[in-house]
């Protein structure tokens, strides 16, 4: 009986100690996507990326238009080919076909370069924004005494019934106004 009483007291003490320890570790959460999308820097970056995308699309479309014109020229010459002009037209057709193959290669290279340019521009524009947000998150966490801040946007949290949502606090630290809260 004495051992049972000691076990109950020891178990109660451990539970109390665990609860006291966990009470000291504040856990909060934010939605970094909401914070990022609410900043003026993000909106400006999006505008620049869209502008670059439109420029790249126009360049590719112009190249494709030239390719289509060559294709039409090739088809027209092939249609007008006869026994009398066969040798001359065949030389022209081969020349056009070679030009078209070169254009295809350039179009492919340009598409790949456009994708690289877009990725580089995104990295260039978003890296400082992410750094700024992380600095604000760290400042809010320290000011409010949080040991952990979980990011709901990263997908690593599948359930969040408790904890404090610090999204608005981080937005305030960045000087941006909160947009409508996302629906869960």
């Amino acid at each position: 009986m004495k051992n049972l009483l000691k076990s109950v007291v020891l178990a109660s003490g451990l539970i109390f100690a665990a609860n006291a320890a966990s009470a000291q570790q504040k856990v909060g959460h934010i939605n970094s996507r909401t914070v990022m999308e609410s900043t003026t820097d993000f909106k400006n970056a999006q505008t620049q990326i869209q502008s670059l995308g439109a420029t790249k699309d126009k360049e590719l479309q112009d190249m494709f238009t030239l390719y289509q014109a060559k294709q039409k020229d090739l088809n027209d010459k092939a249609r007008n080919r006869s026994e009398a002009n066969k040798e001359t037209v065949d030389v022209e057709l081969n020349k056009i076909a070679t030009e078209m193959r070169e254009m295809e290669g350039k179009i492919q290279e340009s598409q790949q370069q456009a994708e690289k340019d877009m990725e580089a521009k995104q990295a260039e524009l978003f890296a400082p924004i992410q750094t700024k947000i992380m600095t604000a998150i760290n400042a809010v966490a320290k000011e409010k005494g949080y040991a952990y801040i979980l990011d709901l946007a990263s997908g690593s949290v599948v359930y969040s019934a408790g904890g404090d949502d610090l999204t608005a606090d981080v937005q305030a630290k960045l000087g941006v106004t909160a947009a409508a809260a996302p629906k869960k």
Side-chain angles (χ1 to χ4, degrees):
M1 188 68 158
K2 232 179 185 182
N3 286 339
L4 181 60
L5 184 58
K6 283 182 183 179
S7 296
V8 170
V9 170
L10 181 62
S12 297
L14 288 174
I15 291 171
F16 177 73
N19 284 340
S22 69
Q24 294 173 359
Q25 299 284 325
K26 287 175 68 175
V27 177
H29 60 86
I30 66 155
N31 187 324
S32 63
R33 184 177 312 141
T34 300
V35 172
M36 181 177 274
E37 290 174 355
S38 68
T39 65
T40 305
D41 293 339
F42 176 80
K43 293 170 185 158
N44 292 339
Q46 283 292 93
T47 300
Q48 288 182 40
I49 289 168
Q50 288 171 348
S51 176
L52 178 62
T55 300
K56 296 294 181 182
D57 284 346
K58 171 92 172 79
E59 290 171 3
L60 289 170
Q61 185 58 44
D62 290 347
M63 292 174 81
F64 189 68
T65 300
L66 288 173
Y67 180 83
Q68 287 176 321
K70 286 282 182 193
Q71 180 71 45
K72 183 182 180 315
D73 188 31
L74 180 88
N75 291 339
D76 290 345
K77 287 191 187 299
R79 246 185 262 117
N80 294 326
R81 183 174 165 245
S82 65
E83 283 299 319
N85 66 4
K86 180 180 178 185
E87 287 183 28
T88 307
V89 173
D90 283 348
V91 170
E92 290 177 25
L93 291 175
N94 285 334
K95 181 181 175 192
I96 294 171
T98 301
E99 290 173 0
M100 287 179 64
R101 281 191 296 278
E102 289 172 2
M103 290 176 84
E104 287 171 359
K106 287 180 183 177
I107 290 171
Q108 269 188 333
E109 288 174 19
S110 294
Q111 285 174 329
Q112 291 171 352
Q113 188 59 48
E115 289 174 16
K116 288 179 185 177
D117 291 349
M118 292 292 291
E119 289 173 7
K121 190 65 166 180
Q122 286 177 338
E124 171 193 331
L125 294 174
F126 289 140
I129 298 169
Q130 291 169 334
T131 300
K132 192 175 182 180
I133 290 171
M134 284 306 301
T135 301
I137 290 169
N138 291 336
V140 168
K142 287 177 185 174
E143 288 171 9
K144 297 195 175 259
Y146 284 88
Y148 301 97
I149 305 292
L150 305 174
D151 185 2
L152 299 177
S154 68
S156 62
V157 177
V158 294
Y159 178 75
S160 175
D164 297 320
D165 185 352
L166 302 176
T167 303
D169 295 321
V170 172
Q171 286 174 319
K173 181 62 92 182
L174 290 169
V176 296
T177 56
K183 303 290 181 204
K184 291 183 182 178

